[in-house]
């Protein structure tokens, strides 16, 4: 078969991708479509990282605090950020994002601009700083540190006015300048509504699109933390997946119409798949909690997701061109509960075991072009039995594949592998699961793409029972 080098790029792997530091690439076959920055590539290669929801809600059994709970209610007795980070490391996670300030306005660091913070709590007699403790633990164990700073503040009397915006900017500067490198900052889409607001106890509506002046906020982030990925419903660094189950769309573009989407975007059902006509690279971050709630509730101690449930989420997040942000609700002692920790670690071990050996690592590869399709055939010396297939595009050259199929040689005939989901986009990583088959030849057919496809990795694996 004729090898068509120009049709496809076959590399050893995707661990050293590079990208042009420009918003789009213009060439005759890809067109003016978005490509990622190097920071976005580095971020997506993290694949899995942790979320921590911890604050006054932990001690009041709430999910969304009203903003009226005294700071004195915050009183963890055995708080140990190193215990958290050890769990994350053993669970294979590359970083953590903490709720520095949730919607109730309570700050986990001693902010100079409010007394509604950890400085007014019994924890360490008011001399604690959980952002400092966690960032130090991350540095010690070699994982990345990120922060969630809620734009909505149900405690502050000035919320809804220009004065609050000044307050928010000053707090943003505190968290971005006092704790070292930050890999991601989270801007939630929940904004405006009822709250305490300094005792007003009223509902305050704001224009979610214009009130905060997000462009100026994003500029501040890029000035103070130039490598940080900015999360919101509309990116620009990465986008919300549009649900809290951790499931990306079977078709999932890393593209978004950036001018249309903003924090609090009403058409969130579009977000799992992105916009094929998007003009901005904002890949999907899939957030999900290991428990039903985001904050700790003792009644949920028997509802922790199993390792098998977490595996399924992994395949539907990382395996669908996204990342997996797994939340750990720290308990009232200030620790990650044992079941949560054990299940997360077992999940990682199961995934690592499944993908420990690529059955196509030593296969001979032939590539040819047939009309508008590209065919990649992998031939092995001995028959292999596999149940998982991993495909990756070199996203430094953009996201190109629109449709593909997989076939295996069954006797003398090529037989199409059947999956329970659409085989459309690939992106950074696509993992498809199927009934185990045995063969000596596997063929991946790129049926449709924007210009020449650039596939940088294909691997076949078999999941074995414990």
């Amino acid at each position: 078969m004729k090898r068509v080098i120009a049709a496809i790029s076959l590399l050893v792997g995707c661990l050293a991708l590079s990208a042009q530091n420009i918003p789009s690439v213009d060439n005759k076959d890809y067109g003016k479509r978005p490509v990622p920055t190097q920071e976005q590539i580095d971020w997506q290669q993290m694949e899995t990282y942790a979320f921590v929801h911890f604050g006054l809600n932990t001690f009041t059994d709430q999910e969304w605090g009203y903003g009226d709970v005294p700071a004195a209610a915050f009183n963890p007795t055995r708080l140990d950020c190193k215990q958290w980070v050890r769990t994350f490391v053993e669970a294979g996670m590359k970083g953590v994002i903490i709720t520095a300030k949730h919607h109730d306005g309570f700050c986990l660091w001693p902010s100079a601009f409010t007394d509604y913070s950890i400085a007014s709590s019994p924890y360490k007699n008011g001399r604690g700083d959980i952002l400092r403790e966690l960032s130090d633990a991350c540095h010690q164990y070699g994982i990345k540190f990120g922060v969630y700073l809620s734009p909505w503040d149900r405690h502050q009397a000035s919320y809804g006015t220009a004065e609050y915006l000044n307050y928010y900017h000053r707090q943003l500067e505190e968290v971005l300048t006092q704790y070292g490198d930050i890999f991601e900052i989270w801007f939630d889409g929940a904004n405006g509504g009822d709250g305490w607001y300094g005792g007003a106890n009223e509902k305050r509506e704001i224009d979610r699109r214009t009130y905060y002046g997000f462009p100026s906020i994003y500029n501040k982030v890029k000035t103070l933390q130039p490598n940080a990925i900015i999360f919101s419903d509309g990116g620009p660094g990465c986008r919300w997946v549009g649900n809290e189950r951790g499931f990306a769309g079977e078709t999932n573009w890393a593209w978004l119409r950036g001018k249309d989407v903003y924090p609090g975007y009403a058409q969130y059902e579009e977000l799992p798949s992105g916009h094929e006509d998007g003009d901005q690279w904002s890949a999907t971050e899939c957030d999900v909690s290991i428990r039903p709630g985001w904050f700790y509730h003792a009644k949920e101690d028997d509802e922790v997701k199993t390792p098998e449930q977490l595996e399924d989420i992994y395949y539907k997040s990382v395996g669908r061109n996204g990342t997996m942000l797994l939340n750990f609700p720290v308990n009232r002692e200030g620790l990650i509960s044992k079941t949560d920790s054990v299940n997360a670690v077992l999940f990682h071990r199961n995934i690592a075991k499944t993908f420990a050996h690529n059955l196509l690592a030593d296969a001979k590869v032939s590539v040819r072009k047939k009309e508008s399709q590209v065919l990649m055939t992998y031939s092995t010396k001995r028959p292999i039995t596999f149940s998982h297939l991993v495909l990756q595009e070199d996203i430094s050259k953009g996201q190109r594949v629109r449709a593909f199929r997989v076939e295996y040689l069954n006797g003398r005939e090529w037989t199409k592998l059947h999956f329970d989901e659409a085989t459309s986009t690939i992106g950074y990583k696509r993992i498809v699961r199927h009934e185990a088959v045995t063969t000596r030849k596997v063929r991946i057919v790129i049926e449709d793409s924007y210009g020449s496809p650039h596939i940088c990795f294909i691997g076949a694996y078999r999941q074995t029972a414990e």
Side-chain angles (χ1 to χ4, degrees):
M1 289 183 285
K2 183 179 179 182
R3 183 180 296 270
V4 183
I5 300 297
I8 194 161
S9 297
L10 291 174
L11 309 178
V12 174
C14 292
L15 298 180
L17 298 182
S18 62
Q20 302 94 331
N21 289 310
I22 53 177
S24 65
V25 61
D26 186 6
N27 59 43
K28 61 182 180 180
D29 57 3
Y30 187 66
K32 292 183 178 180
R33 295 186 173 88
V35 297
T37 65
Q38 186 60 51
E39 289 78 19
Q40 288 174 312
I41 294 173
D42 294 343
W43 165 83
Q44 191 150 14
Q45 288 176 339
M46 293 174 66
E47 297 196 353
T48 63
Y49 40 99
F51 216 177
V52 168
H53 277 61
F54 187 49
L56 285 174
N57 292 343
T58 307
F59 300 90
T60 59
D61 210 27
Q62 294 178 305
E63 284 288 292
W64 281 17
Y66 192 65
D68 59 344
V69 175
F74 184 82
N75 190 24
T77 55
R78 297 177 57 204
L79 190 145
D80 184 357
C81 289
K82 292 182 181 180
Q83 185 255 359
W84 308 357
V85 175
R86 286 194 296 269
T87 291
F88 306 150
V89 170
E90 290 185 40
M93 297 182 175
K94 304 301 189 298
V96 56
I97 300 169
I98 186 169
T99 52
K101 185 185 81 166
H102 202 251
H103 310 321
D104 61 4
F106 180 77
C107 302
L108 292 182
W109 80 100
S111 175
F113 305 106
T114 181
D115 60 1
Y116 200 51
S117 78
I118 195 171
S120 299
S121 78
Y123 179 64
K124 291 190 174 180
N125 295 317
R127 293 189 293 273
D129 184 343
I130 292 176
L131 298 195
R132 170 63 58 203
E133 293 179 42
L134 182 56
S135 63
D136 287 349
C138 288
H139 180 75
Q140 178 179 344
Y141 288 95
I143 68 171
K144 297 181 179 182
F145 175 69
V147 292
Y148 168 127
L149 192 70
S150 172
W152 185 20
D153 193 317
R154 304 172 92 184
H155 178 82
Q156 285 298 311
S158 62
Y159 182 79
T161 71
E163 181 184 349
Y164 174 76
L165 298 181
N166 182 55
Y167 169 77
Y168 188 76
H169 273 260
R170 289 185 175 185
Q171 288 199 320
L172 183 63
E173 290 170 1
E174 285 183 317
V175 301
L176 294 180
T177 59
Q178 299 180 11
Y179 302 100
D181 290 339
I182 289 175
F183 85 94
E184 181 173 331
I185 182 160
W186 239 74
F187 296 114
D188 201 303
N191 290 298
D194 61 337
W196 186 71
Y197 303 127
N201 291 308
E202 62 187 16
K203 189 173 185 179
R204 295 184 181 176
E205 298 292 348
I206 52 97
D207 186 326
R208 298 181 179 186
R209 187 163 194 162
T210 63
Y211 170 61
Y212 298 104
F214 276 112
S216 66
I217 289 175
Y218 299 160
N219 286 337
K220 186 180 292 290
V221 173
K222 283 306 177 185
T223 298
L224 300 177
Q225 291 283 343
N227 296 323
I229 295 297
I230 298 172
F231 166 95
S232 79
D233 293 352
C238 66
R239 75 176 190 268
W240 183 43
V241 70
N243 61 70
E244 295 183 343
R245 298 177 297 147
F247 294 175
E250 296 175 11
T251 297
N252 185 13
W253 293 100
W255 304 338
L256 206 63
R257 294 192 296 270
K259 293 181 180 179
D260 293 344
V261 189
Y262 53 91
Y265 185 63
Q267 286 75 45
Y268 58 85
E269 68 276 359
E270 300 173 4
L271 299 180
S273 296
H275 296 143
E276 190 171 353
D277 61 348
D279 56 7
Q280 171 184 292
W281 187 282
S282 296
T284 311
E285 181 176 83
C286 305
D287 59 322
V288 63
S289 185
I290 200 167
R291 291 168 174 245
W294 292 89
F295 285 90
Y296 177 79
H297 309 288
K299 64 184 179 183
E300 295 177 353
D301 284 346
D302 294 328
E303 300 181 69
V304 179
K305 289 181 175 61
T306 65
E308 292 74 24
Q309 289 173 313
L310 295 175
E311 285 182 66
D312 189 56
I313 293 169
Y314 173 85
Y315 290 121
K316 293 175 179 176
S317 56
V318 176
R320 290 180 179 173
N321 188 34
T323 62
M324 179 178 174
L325 177 59
L326 181 61
N327 179 65
F328 293 82
V330 170
N331 64 31
R332 294 181 181 181
E333 290 184 306
L335 303 172
I336 293 176
S337 299
K338 183 177 180 179
T339 302
D340 306 48
S341 178
V342 168
N343 287 8
V345 172
L346 289 177
F347 143 70
H348 170 62
R349 290 178 181 175
N350 291 346
I351 291 293
K353 182 178 179 181
T354 296
F355 297 101
H357 179 52
N358 178 10
L359 299 171
L360 298 180
D362 298 323
K364 291 184 178 180
V365 186
S366 64
V367 183
R368 68 185 179 95
K369 195 170 184 179
K370 183 180 180 182
E371 297 177 347
S372 62
Q373 298 183 343
V374 176
L375 290 75
M376 297 166 284
T377 304
Y378 287 72
S379 303
T380 59
K381 293 180 179 179
R382 298 179 181 82
I384 61 169
T385 301
F386 67 101
S387 57
H388 293 55
L389 199 72
V390 177
L391 305 94
Q392 292 187 264
E393 290 185 71
D394 178 354
I395 58 172
S396 72
K397 297 177 176 62
Q399 185 177 355
R400 298 177 173 234
V401 176
R402 301 182 72 235
F404 69 95
R405 71 177 185 270
V406 181
E407 302 169 338
Y408 69 99
L409 196 63
N410 185 7
R412 294 185 176 182
E413 296 183 353
W414 286 104
T415 301
K416 182 179 178 180
L417 268 176
H418 293 283
F419 309 104
D420 291 332
E421 57 185 63
T423 52
S424 48
T425 53
I426 294 176
Y428 164 72
K429 179 174 284 189
R430 185 68 188 271
I431 305 175
V432 284
R433 295 172 285 176
H434 52 86
E435 292 292 328
V437 297
T438 301
T439 186
R440 287 184 57 189
K441 288 183 180 288
V442 181
R443 186 163 71 187
I444 294 87
V445 182
I446 307 300
E447 299 177 308
D448 191 11
S449 66
Y450 286 110
S452 301
H454 289 268
I455 304 298
C456 63
F457 181 80
I458 291 176
Y461 305 85
R462 184 178 185 183
Q463 187 175 40
T464 56
E466 292 293 332

